[in-house]
Amino acid sequence: MALMDTSYIFIALVFVLAGMVKGVTGMGLPTVAVALLTLKMSPLEAAALLIVPSSVTNVWQLAAGPALYQLWRRLRTMLLAVCVGTALAAVLVGGGHGAGDGAGDSATWSAAWSGVLLGLALLAYGALGLAGWRWQVTPRAERWLGPLAGVVTGALAGVTGVFVMPAAPYLQALALEKDDLVQAMGLAFTVSTLALAVMLAYQGAWHAAAAGASCLALLPAAGGMLLGQWLRGRMAPALFRRCFFASLLALGAHQCLRIFTG
């Protein structure tokens, strides 16, 4: 019982921290939550826990912006591609289910390589953030680069539960105004979360127990987001971002080392 209580406290603290990061930066809830939760559970179990907190906080974020319809028109091909990428991941990851004695080996292999992908995504995101690397997408390039970023984002989300790569760098490269960028990320993350929920339901990982636990996780996530929004007006965002990206780099390195060393 004490171990179970410790697990509940750990999960609650993870969602408070993840919500706080999202409140300050406008992103990072699934990245931080999955990275920390996978220290104690599989990526798919962690992804199932974050469905409700991520959905609600993303809708909260996109509803607060000024240009939802315009952003939807501009990003709709990317958002559709996110769903396509997630569906492809569902087929690939779920392909080994029910295959007799080989099903367990396939599931173990899928968990291992999805963990590696999660670690590499965190490493890349953290390194790019610390380097301050910025790039700009021309309107002409948006026609093909948006769908490409969407497919890759959806595929990575389907196997890791994290949907910030490469969606967040791509959206930052569109040179949007600050409020528009935050709203665009909320829109993209909302679609990604819903697509991930459908995938998890297809795989049997999104059921009544998982939904109930995810609803409970909303409380600490919302509290953390409110705290983060309060902190955003009282601290230097540049310093916080450096700490945030350094933490992602460390978590990504830990995830990869854990997989490769067994």
Side-chain angles (χ1 to χ4, degrees):
M1 185 68 178
L3 179 61
M4 185 178 297
D5 291 342
T6 302
S7 298
Y8 289 153
I9 293 172
F10 171 76
I11 291 171
L13 291 176
V14 165
F15 277 101
V16 169
L17 176 61
M20 185 177 68
V21 170
K22 185 174 182 64
V24 173
T25 67
M27 59 184 177
L29 188 148
T31 310
V32 173
V34 171
L36 292 174
L37 289 173
T38 49
L39 298 176
K40 290 186 174 290
M41 62 185 70
S42 73
L44 281 182
E45 288 174 322
L49 263 182
L50 68 85
I51 291 297
V52 173
S54 183
S55 297
V56 172
T57 55
N58 285 329
V59 170
W60 179 356
Q61 182 174 324
L62 75 86
L68 179 58
Y69 179 69
Q70 292 88 335
L71 289 171
W72 163 256
R73 286 181 56 85
R74 184 174 182 179
L75 301 175
R76 62 185 184 274
T77 56
M78 173 197 169
L79 300 175
L80 177 61
V82 167
C83 299
V84 172
T86 306
L88 290 175
V91 172
L92 292 175
V93 174
H97 292 176
D101 293 338
D105 293 339
S106 177
T108 301
W109 181 84
S110 295
W113 75 269
S114 65
V116 171
L117 281 177
L118 170 60
L120 292 176
L122 291 169
L123 280 170
Y125 192 30
L128 288 174
L130 285 175
W133 182 67
R134 295 292 298 271
W135 58 294
Q136 190 165 354
V137 175
T138 64
R140 187 173 182 177
E142 281 187 53
R143 300 176 184 176
W144 62 270
L145 193 54
L148 177 61
V151 167
V152 175
T153 298
L156 283 176
V159 294
T160 67
V162 175
F163 36 77
V164 295
M165 291 293 291
Y170 170 77
L171 293 173
Q172 290 170 339
L174 297 180
L176 298 169
E177 295 294 331
K178 179 182 176 182
D179 290 341
D180 290 344
L181 175 60
V182 171
Q183 187 174 30
M185 288 193 294
L187 178 60
F189 298 160
T190 297
V191 172
S192 298
T193 303
L194 294 176
L196 182 62
V198 172
M199 189 203 96
L200 291 172
Y202 166 77
Q203 293 182 327
W206 181 245
H207 42 70
S214 187
C215 288
L216 290 176
L218 173 62
L219 297 175
M225 188 168 178
L226 287 171
L227 177 60
Q229 290 174 336
W230 179 81
L231 287 173
R232 184 166 55 189
R234 291 165 174 80
M235 68 182 296
L239 174 61
F240 184 88
R241 285 177 181 273
R242 283 197 294 270
C243 295
F244 170 56
F245 287 121
S247 299
L248 294 183
L249 200 64
L251 288 166
H254 179 274
Q255 180 71 17
C256 289
L257 284 173
R258 188 179 67 167
I259 296 295
F260 288 128
T261 60

